[in-house]
Amino acid sequence: PLVADRRAARAWRQAGYEPSALLLPWRRDRAIRTQAARRLGRAWRDRFSDMPPIELAGMDVRAEVHQALAPLVLRGGPWLWSELSALALALRRVAPRAVVVATDQHRVGWLAARAARSASVPTFVLQHGLPQAPIGYVPVVADRVVAWSDASRDWFVDHGTPAERVVVAGNPRLDGLTTDLDDAATAWPWPNGQASPRLLLALSPTSLSSNERLLTLALAAVERLPSARLVIKTHPGSGDWRFVAEATRRLAPSVAARVRVAQREPLPPLLRWATLTMVLRTTVAVESLAAGTPVAAAAIGVPSVADTDMRSAELPTFDSPDTLVKLARELAGPEARKRFMDERRAAIETITGPTDGASARRIADLLMTGSGLVVGDELPP
């Protein structure tokens, strides 16, 4: 694996691999950035001089736009040039069969797809999350998108991706999940008895205010459910979760004893433990349904997963502690949860893709064969 930041390198090492840093020798790196800075400076001045008026409320704001964007372009651009050079060097050394990225829309993934194109190496994007907005997913730069499901494939095609460039292989994150509802009474994290409802709140790196509103709703519902247990799962990758610690510290002792915060703990045991997963905008909704655990989406004035291509699953929503309490009680029993899943089975399979435990194998086979790929075929310049 080639990595461009310390956090990614740490994750690979924890998985037993030795990542290679995308770095050039110091002198070479400095020379490239110096040259790029000069070229970008000239190009930026030329572009600004040719820029047509940008009117806002009847005023030409070109100067303000230039002042706001100049630091981003002139400081960040040289580093992009250096990283592109490091990627090109790595591809020459490794001579890979394929280049695999989680996304071709972020900095390094976009550069990797461009460098691989120049080296005639096919690039594959492994779908990294549930598409909820075009940003971060399209326009596709890589040669192939390996999508989770038919719904994901349709989303990419509807957003301008040629159908022949999207392959459905399943979501490897679901390979270890079980749909056996009898396994939902696993002992994590309260081994001394299994109270119900068992609620899982999955937070995601969305706005702080939205997460705070969602947490407030969940905690208020637990206060109204004396037998309930709540696990708050923060996103392991990013986000400022100090508000979670502050909110849980303010709880009455009788409520605090029934609330836990999970940060780095693996997700599958939590999904099998829960009787209901609460979300706003997170892929955990897909994983929960694949594990056989019902999902409810918060309706707090901002779009949720229930408003995306998951509409077909007709996820229940809650906008107050009372509506959440009602849902939690209704789905506390195994028969009610099974009925919830059975009513949505066809829609869930369309959204999650194959749940046969073989997604990772299908992806590996695809990467090894290339699926008859011609690099750069029918791609925009």
Side-chain angles (χ1 to χ4, degrees), residues 170-357:
N171 181 355
R173 286 174 60 88
L174 306 185
D175 283 357
L177 293 176
T178 176
T179 56
D180 184 1
L181 287 178
D182 293 336
D183 195 34
T186 185
W188 202 98
W190 283 276
N192 299 322
Q194 288 298 316
S196 188
R198 299 186 294 273
L199 306 176
L200 173 62
L201 174 62
L203 300 176
S204 60
T206 183
S207 71
L208 178 62
S209 61
S210 296
N211 273 324
E212 288 180 327
R213 277 181 282 168
L214 179 56
L215 177 62
T216 299
L217 274 178
L219 293 177
V222 172
E223 290 177 347
R224 291 163 167 77
L225 291 166
S227 64
R229 300 292 187 269
L230 170 67
V231 173
I232 305 166
K233 181 72 171 74
T234 61
H235 192 282
S238 60
D240 183 354
W241 309 117
R242 287 175 293 184
F243 73 93
V244 176
E246 294 169 0
T248 52
R249 275 198 299 268
R250 293 194 297 266
L251 294 173
S254 60
V255 179
R258 298 184 282 116
V259 177
R260 302 284 176 89
V261 179
Q263 293 179 312
R264 296 288 176 178
E265 290 83 349
L267 182 63
L270 293 173
L271 295 176
R272 293 193 291 269
W273 167 83
T275 58
L276 176 64
T277 300
M278 301 167 292
V279 301
L280 180 59
R281 297 186 67 118
T282 172
T283 299
V284 172
V286 176
E287 296 170 80
S288 183
L289 293 175
T293 302
V295 174
I300 54 176
V302 295
S304 72
V305 293
D307 303 311
T308 68
D309 281 3
M310 292 192 72
R311 291 187 190 91
S312 58
E314 297 181 347
L315 297 178
T317 60
F318 59 92
D319 58 3
S320 68
D322 290 338
T323 54
L324 180 53
V325 165
K326 184 173 183 291
L327 273 172
R329 284 173 171 159
E330 288 176 353
L331 295 167
E335 297 83 5
R337 294 197 300 277
K338 184 176 186 305
R339 185 165 56 252
F340 178 101
M341 298 301 297
D342 288 345
E343 291 172 352
R344 295 165 173 81
R345 183 67 58 190
I348 290 171
E349 290 176 355
T350 300
I351 295 166
T352 64
T355 55
D356 55 4

